[in-house]
Amino acid sequence: MALSVFFITFAAMIQIVVSKEIESVCPQFVGAAVEAQVVNSPFCAALWEEIHALGEQYRTELDTTLIKERIPGIASTRRVYKACGKDPSRYRPAAEALIRRMLQGKELYQIDTLVDLINLASIKFGYSIGGFDADKFVGDTLTLGVGRAGEPYEGIGRGMINIEGLPVYRDSEGGVGTPTSDNERTKIDGNTTHLLTLINGYDGNEQQVLANAAFIQQLLRKYCQSDGGTCTLYR
């Protein structure tokens, strides 16, 4: 049976449910929700020093042919894509796409401090992380399932995308996040003060998922005038 977890937000109680669809293709799945009150900003120079330092480290240790074998979080997400019927080379998990961009010597897109911070956490641990303005959710439940044929979904900066066969979190209005792209409707912006991040451990490595969550909390304390918020595991 799928499990769920409750965690307290500033506005309401939200339930996260992992569906039997996901449980059947990835019984070892473990996720972590980090929820915090934050202050966003357009740019943070110190954060980008960390991003550039990690990029330099990766370029000395990796190349694009080694990503899948060296980073278990990416390899496991790709396996789940295939099990759900999606080609992971056409619809790359976000963590993989970001790391490939770094290794190719390309600059990451600079969005704002919260988004840039989540991208750093994703690159460092290899998990695709959903980042949301929690005040934009509709209803009190997020369910992790699998995208259906013809299901409408507007990826951030990508327009309408085909999410059939992608793992997807849905609120009561529809999809809000996939490992390839989050949705325009619930995206972080300059006015975001209530952050929810969801770390997707398709490799089942609870220790690494928790370490990733702790790293996000550390970054929030350093760069977003936050106390780091709360972290809760869900399966």
Side-chain angles (χ1 to χ4, degrees):
M1 178 179 292
L3 302 178
S4 63
V5 65
F6 290 91
F7 65 96
I8 300 297
T9 72
F10 293 99
M13 182 174 283
I14 294 177
Q15 181 184 33
I16 302 178
V17 177
V18 179
S19 72
K20 291 182 179 179
E21 289 177 300
I22 294 296
E23 188 182 61
S24 67
V25 296
C26 189
Q28 74 273 20
F29 173 85
V30 58
V34 175
E35 178 266 334
Q37 187 173 26
V38 296
V39 176
N40 202 2
S41 59
F43 176 77
C44 177
L47 172 62
W48 274 89
E49 288 178 8
E50 291 198 45
I51 293 170
H52 288 141
L54 184 59
E56 288 299 317
Q57 177 187 332
Y58 274 12
R59 283 187 287 274
T60 64
E61 298 175 351
L62 290 173
D63 62 48
T64 55
T65 66
L66 296 174
I67 294 174
K68 290 177 282 186
E69 67 180 69
R70 294 278 185 89
I71 305 177
I74 290 174
S76 59
T77 304
R78 289 176 64 92
R79 285 195 296 270
V80 168
Y81 273 36
K82 290 178 182 178
C84 293
K86 206 67 167 178
D87 179 357
S89 294
R90 184 176 179 190
Y91 294 85
R92 294 190 191 279
E96 180 183 357
L98 289 167
I99 293 172
R100 288 177 67 88
R101 189 172 181 85
M102 271 188 161
L103 294 179
Q104 292 164 353
K106 300 175 182 177
E107 283 287 332
L108 299 186
Y109 297 109
Q110 190 272 313
I111 308 299
D112 58 44
T113 298
L114 283 174
V115 174
D116 299 342
L117 176 158
I118 292 166
N119 284 343
L120 171 59
S122 181
I123 292 162
K124 187 174 179 67
F125 286 85
Y127 295 121
S128 292
I129 302 172
F132 309 98
D133 185 323
D135 291 334
K136 296 178 180 178
F137 293 137
V138 178
D140 61 2
T141 302
L142 294 178
T143 302
L144 177 58
V146 178
R148 298 182 288 264
E151 183 172 359
Y153 189 94
E154 186 178 2
I156 296 173
R158 299 166 66 110
M160 301 303 291
I161 63 174
N162 174 15
I163 65 166
E164 181 181 4
L166 284 179
V168 58
Y169 287 93
R170 300 181 181 94
D171 66 7
S172 33
E173 189 169 310
V176 297
T178 76
T180 291
S181 175
D182 290 331
N183 196 297
E184 282 280 352
R185 176 168 60 86
T186 50
K187 74 177 181 181
I188 294 164
D189 60 31
N191 296 316
T192 297
T193 58
H194 184 184
L195 174 71
L196 177 68
T197 65
L198 301 177
I199 302 164
N200 297 281
Y202 290 101
D203 60 355
N205 191 329
E206 181 178 314
Q207 184 176 356
Q208 278 293 90
V209 168
L210 284 172
N212 198 345
F215 183 63
I216 289 173
Q217 291 179 294
Q218 173 192 330
L219 294 175
L220 292 174
R221 287 189 288 266
K222 287 170 69 175
Y223 301 128
C224 297
Q225 301 179 43
S226 175
D227 65 3
T230 60
C231 170
T232 309
L233 284 175
Y234 58 97
R235 301 176 188 274

